[in-house]
Amino acid sequence: MKIESTDQDIRTLLSSAYYRIPRFQRPYSWDRENIQEFWDDVVQDKAADYFIGSMVIYREGSQRFGIVDGQQRLTTITILLCVLRNCLGKHGFADLARGIHGLIERPNIDNKLEFILATESSYPFFQDHIQSWDKPEVPVAPLREEETLQNAYEQLGKLVEGVVSSVERDTRLNDEARRTELQKRLIGIRDALLDLKLIAVKLDDEDDAYIIFETLNTRGKDLSLTDLVKNHITKHLRGKNESVDPPKVKWQKLQETIQGAAIDLDTDSFIHHYWLSKYDYLPAKRLFKVLKKRVTKAKSKALLDALLSDAALYRSIHETSYGKWTKQEQRIEEALRALMLFKVRQQTPCVLSLIREYRSGKIKMKHLQDALIAIEKFHFLFTAVTSQRSSGGISKMYAALGRRLFEAADTDAAVRVITDLKVKLRERMPLLGEVRALFPTLIYTANVTKQRKLVKYALTRFSEGKPTALAVDYDQTTIEHLVPQSAIGTKGLTDTIVGQLGNLVLVSKELNKQLRDKPFDEKKPLLIRAGYDLPDEIRGLEDITKEDIEERTKRMAEQAYNQIWRI
């Protein structure tokens, strides 16, 4: 491995070569704290010969280099140069603006304009929306990296404008002196930036760069699982044509699928869950070491293709609208939404495997629905009601079942796995006494709203199949308190009593307006006339007491355990 190191400043670095942030690099990730610290060090507390560390690059051609380490710093420096260029141009210093732009974009040996720093992961946003002298031409739907770049650009813009404002507010200066002072201050920022010192470590071989990349950190941040897996795969899958790079396109599509979700999905977690759904159970911290040994060059393409395919399935598990479930698959979608409501993730490898085998045709819709409903029922009682936590056994159980599904040779073998899943969940169900004791903790009032969605979910399951006048779409219903919330504070009634399931029913929004805050004896005939099937213990009462609510909640807990959520 040939390594050459030289002392350089940013001015020399940018004026002497072109640099590319290659596809195996992590996205730009500096946050507000990183940007402010950089500004304070370079501009506010500037000192002569300020050193910003090393930069590791490898040769790609004559005066062309790929960046291994230092891309976060060089990207930030380039963004600040763009901000300065724009500010100088805005305030009438066109020549100075053009001078700075020469360190952002200049003609190459063929006299074609080329950006000095090119990045692949955020193309074309970084080039067109930040570096370009002209207005953006390409509309871009920003993902996380683009948003981070934009945030850095805006933050540095505000910092530079703060310098401009301080000069403009100086009442001691006349117009000419103010202009001279502004030019001096902006040039000072430019020179402080370009005089930054670093050590440029140059390598001749890209393969050496991949090796070094796995051992280096940027600004003290450890490489993520996503960084390492991407690096490992792309190391083996070089594009045959420089103009077309299928591995890069596929990885970018994978990232867009995960990061484009309406909820906050994490690519590291996806890769970990993917592995658990097919292979041996490993903690996330150990996964890359094993993957690196097993995924050879010959297997890298298959892994990338499988990850790309499963990324869409993974997103559909967490964002059900992305899955485009049909009307016939409505109950499957409801089960997935319920699991998200319960905030449980242990089942994800198994659910990923179930949906994968369903989409491939190994299992039928009824099999998938049967399995997901069983998982939903288990976690409602185990997680949502009794708040039990697994020491790891349940996670391992789900991962093992996911692997067995993946390995199942045919439908019959897969159905046996689903049968085993139901047996294992049944064995782990909490006891009736635990459910009965904790069922009253599911409450909803105007003062206690945290569990509103969970309470509505439970009431929906209780209501299904009953002869009521409710619309089929339970999303259009609302929660009604039989004893009105205005009674809280009287007759021993508190939020924890009035908000219990034993005092709640689902009604249409129209009926809810009619019921308003009426006492129960006035609500009852309205509910009956509307066709609501009130339980016998409620229908026969003229008034509902604290004890009535507690008794009905107890009965509902038993019905939940023995009937509705029974596997």
Side-chain angles (χ1 to χ4, degrees), residues 23 120-121 143 226 229-230 233-234 237-239 244-259 267 270-271 299-312 322:
R23 58 195 169 99
E120 296 182 345
S121 60
L143 297 174
T226 301
V229 173
K230 177 184 178 183
I233 290 175
T234 54
L237 301 178
R238 306 277 180 81
V244 182
D245 193 346
K248 185 190 84 170
V249 173
K250 288 179 181 179
W251 190 270
Q252 185 174 352
K253 177 63 177 174
L254 183 158
Q255 290 279 59
E256 289 174 354
T257 300
I258 298 297
Q259 296 179 4
T267 311
F270 160 62
I271 293 173
K299 296 179 179 179
S300 291
K301 182 179 183 300
L303 174 62
L304 179 56
D305 289 343
L307 283 169
L308 178 59
S309 176
D310 272 18
Y322 186 79

Side-chain angles (χ1 to χ4, degrees), residues 323-370:
K324 298 178 181 177
W325 301 100
T326 66
K327 187 175 181 180
Q328 291 73 29
E329 297 168 327
Q330 181 180 346
R331 188 62 184 89
I332 292 171
E333 183 177 1
E334 288 175 359
L336 293 172
R337 287 168 58 189
L339 292 171
M340 290 298 295
L341 175 62
F342 304 157
K343 294 181 173 61
V344 61
R345 299 291 181 267
Q346 299 159 306
Q347 79 292 346
T348 304
C350 184
V351 173
L352 177 59
S353 194
L354 281 163
I355 294 179
R356 183 195 302 127
E357 303 312 327
Y358 171 60
R359 294 301 188 195
S360 72
K362 187 184 290 184
I363 62 174
K364 300 182 184 302
M365 183 174 69
K366 62 180 181 181
H367 303 137
L368 175 62
Q369 181 171 303
D370 196 29

Side-chain angles (χ1 to χ4, degrees), residues 50 53 89 91 122 134 210 218 267 349 367 424 483 496 498 513 529:
Y50 187 81
H91 292 282
S122 61
D134 302 312
Y210 278 103
T218 299
T267 311
H367 303 137
K424 293 180 183 298
V483 172
T496 56
V498 173
K513 293 177 182 178
R529 252 197 317 273

